[in-house]
Amino acid sequence: MGYNEILYLAVFLPLAAVLYRLLPEAAGKYFLLAVSWFYFYLNSGKLLLILIAATVFVYIMAGLIQKAAPKSAGRKAAMGITVGALFGMLIGLKYTGFFIRTASQVSLSLFGSDLPLAAPKILVPVGISYYTLEAAGYILEVYWGRTAAEKSFCRVGLFLGFFPQTLEGPIARWQDTAMQFPGSRHLKDTKERSAAMSPETVIMACLRILWGMCKKLIVADRLNTVVHELYTNYASYDGVMIAVAAVTYALQLYMEFSGMMDVVIGSARLFGIRLPENFRQPFFAQTASEFWRRWHITLGVWLKTYVFYPVTTSRTVMKWNRFARKKWGRYAAKVGTSFLALAPVWLFNGLWHGPQWNYIFYGIYYLVILMIEVILEPVKKAFYTRTGIRSKGAVPSALRLVRTWLIIFTGEMFFRADGLRAGLAMFRRMFQNFGLQRLWDGTLLDLGLSRADWAAVTAGTAAVLAADLLREKGFSFSAWYQKRRLPVRWCVCYTLIFVLIIFGAYGSGYQPVDLIYKGF
């Protein structure tokens, strides 16, 4: 039961929200945990037991870590065992088949014979990549003494298994959400709780859900037809059509993922929970590094907090930095230190998405791009200084924007391709027979979408980009909406509803499209 399904939107979510509001506050956390685990069961069946076991394990180990003396060997060992067990579970369930296939392929290439190994059939629980990172982050927060081990098992259970986050995140840190769950000392203030559960909050939550569904049903699900055709039969296309494949998938992924984050965040607000944002107008980024500060923000924050900073401040890297400064100077030290810190981040990022070589390549691709940014930083500064060109001028900004789009579209093409070989083949074919006339000679109409469908995609994309541009300029739709009179508010609500009903891709002629990030 995905967040985009009518059963979730029309039955499960409203029923859970109404019952939650009717219950006394003391019972709220128990009800919410029961609902969350039931939702997980609906999507993963008996694999719910893995989530429950992980929650019990994390709850117990966090208490043991806190009881151990700071900087003691026992505290460090308990942290290492817990984090190791969590990632061991993730690797065992999600990556065993990948490692067996890789070992078999290496054996074939080296010895001319395949290993007599068969990848075991393992059912991977939905959301395991998300709640494993949350659990590991919580354990590290307790180990570092930044937060106390939670005494309420129910709150730990909600932190790891809150149902709006089950399928696609966002990946919250303990300090982001835990103290918002019912029964928290943080919510004892009646005014604060009333504001979190006010009618205005509910209306804004519903509007955000509608907006997210418009992104998915009007744009993302329509583009799925084109994306599937181009990536499945890429050998039949070349030139500009491969470029179309790269652009349409990047657009589909953004509309799908950001749209579902709107639904997720809106769902959580119905229960008075404010989840962290996962997108901030990523296609207005001027560099690849800025793009990753705007795209899948919670994954980036998790990697920065629990991988990048610990590596950067580790004795090994600090020792290298001092040595490199004395030996080769600050510039070389900065380049080397950046590589040592970024390499594990991007290898982790690639592997986190799944057991496929194109995901690993995707991580390496961005590692190389970001290292080029670091290496060329002095050259860029010298260029603007010597030429007198304003770095923030309209032309340089536009050129950087286009460059960043090319980096994004190329990276997403490899990300979506059916394997690394397919991605490399598509990249090569993009430079063959590049004829722009196929954009208007009717070729696009052979990809499964009619002119009306392309018009809906274009209009929907323009609307979303316009809304993103307004937010980039500091416009707040929530503040604007709440200042409007009642007729205007009703007009906005009904407009979104009718646009979704009339232009959404569903019913006869359209195949239901599963959530893309549900599989990660």
Side-chain angles (χ1 to χ4, degrees), residues 258-280:
S258 69
M260 287 302 96
M261 284 301 101
D262 290 330
V263 175
V264 162
I265 291 172
S267 298
R269 292 296 287 154
L270 294 176
F271 299 89
I273 310 299
R274 188 180 294 276
L275 295 177
E277 295 289 344
N278 225 12
F279 290 92
R280 186 170 57 83

Side-chain angles (χ1 to χ4, degrees), residues 15 33 67 89 109 118 125 194 270 304 339 423 471 491:
L15 183 61
L33 181 61
K67 289 178 181 178
M89 173 188 68
S109 62
S194 297
L270 294 176
K304 183 189 295 185
F339 177 78
R471 279 194 292 270
C491 183

Side-chain angles (χ1 to χ4, degrees), residues 176-182 184 186-187 269 271-275:
D176 292 331
T177 59
M179 292 301 105
Q180 299 182 58
F181 290 119
S184 169
H186 182 65
L187 290 178
R269 292 296 287 154
F271 299 89
I273 310 299
R274 188 180 294 276
L275 295 177

Side-chain angles (χ1 to χ4, degrees), residues 217-409:
L217 289 183
I218 296 174
V219 181
D221 284 6
R222 271 193 174 85
L223 286 177
N224 185 69
T225 302
V226 175
V227 169
H228 182 268
E229 167 62 22
L230 291 173
Y231 281 88
T232 302
N233 302 308
Y234 67 89
S236 302
Y237 300 97
D238 53 24
V240 72
M241 297 310 294
I242 301 298
V244 169
V247 173
T248 52
Y249 177 68
L251 184 58
Q252 180 201 16
L253 185 62
Y254 176 60
M255 293 297 182
E256 147 91 39
F257 196 17
S258 69
M260 287 302 96
M261 284 301 101
D262 290 330
V263 175
V264 162
I265 291 172
S267 298
R269 292 296 287 154
L270 294 176
F271 299 89
I273 310 299
R274 188 180 294 276
L275 295 177
E277 295 289 344
N278 225 12
F279 290 92
R280 186 170 57 83
Q281 300 84 254
F283 288 102
F284 291 101
Q286 297 271 304
T287 63
S289 55
E290 184 188 355
F291 171 75
W292 277 100
R293 291 193 294 272
R294 293 166 171 260
W295 176 282
H296 209 339
I297 295 171
T298 57
L299 176 61
V301 169
W302 193 96
L303 290 169
K304 183 189 295 185
T305 305
Y306 304 115
V307 180
F308 181 82
Y309 285 151
V311 170
T312 304
T313 57
S314 67
R315 291 182 181 179
T316 302
V317 172
M318 293 181 73
K319 188 180 293 185
W320 149 261
N321 190 36
R322 288 192 295 268
F323 169 78
R325 280 193 174 194
K326 292 180 181 179
K327 189 76 173 178
W328 300 297
R330 289 186 177 182
Y331 174 71
K334 180 181 179 181
V335 171
T337 302
S338 297
F339 177 78
L340 292 174
L342 289 172
V345 167
W346 286 101
L347 288 174
F348 188 106
N349 186 309
L351 275 169
W352 177 85
H353 283 92
Q356 294 179 205
W357 282 110
N358 56 310
Y359 293 151
I360 297 172
F361 178 85
Y362 181 74
I364 296 173
Y365 169 81
Y366 270 104
L367 171 63
V368 172
I369 295 294
L370 296 185
M371 285 306 304
I372 291 173
E373 286 187 6
V374 173
I375 292 169
L376 295 182
E377 183 65 25
V379 178
K380 183 180 72 173
K381 288 183 178 179
F383 171 79
Y384 285 117
T385 301
R386 292 178 181 179
T387 60
I389 297 174
R390 292 188 304 111
S391 63
K392 294 184 178 180
V395 173
S397 295
L399 291 175
R400 286 195 300 270
L401 193 66
V402 172
R403 177 198 61 190
T404 304
W405 285 354
L406 291 175
I407 291 171
I408 294 167
F409 297 150

Side-chain angles (χ1 to χ4, degrees), residues 179 186-197:
M179 292 301 105
H186 182 65
L187 290 178
K188 290 299 182 183
D189 187 340
T190 304
K191 289 184 178 180
E192 184 175 346
R193 179 171 174 79
S194 297
M197 306 287 283

Side-chain angles (χ1 to χ4, degrees), residues 22-38:
L22 293 176
L23 289 171
E25 182 180 348
K29 61 181 179 181
Y30 302 110
F31 172 78
L32 205 51
L33 181 61
V35 167
S36 295
W37 282 357
F38 178 64

Side-chain angles (χ1 to χ4, degrees), residues 19 53 66 144 238 287 297 318 344 433 439 457 462 466 471 480 506:
L19 291 176
Q66 180 165 288
W144 289 329
D238 53 24
T287 63
I297 295 171
M318 293 181 73
N433 304 316
L439 295 177
V457 166
R471 279 194 292 270
W480 175 87
Y506 59 88

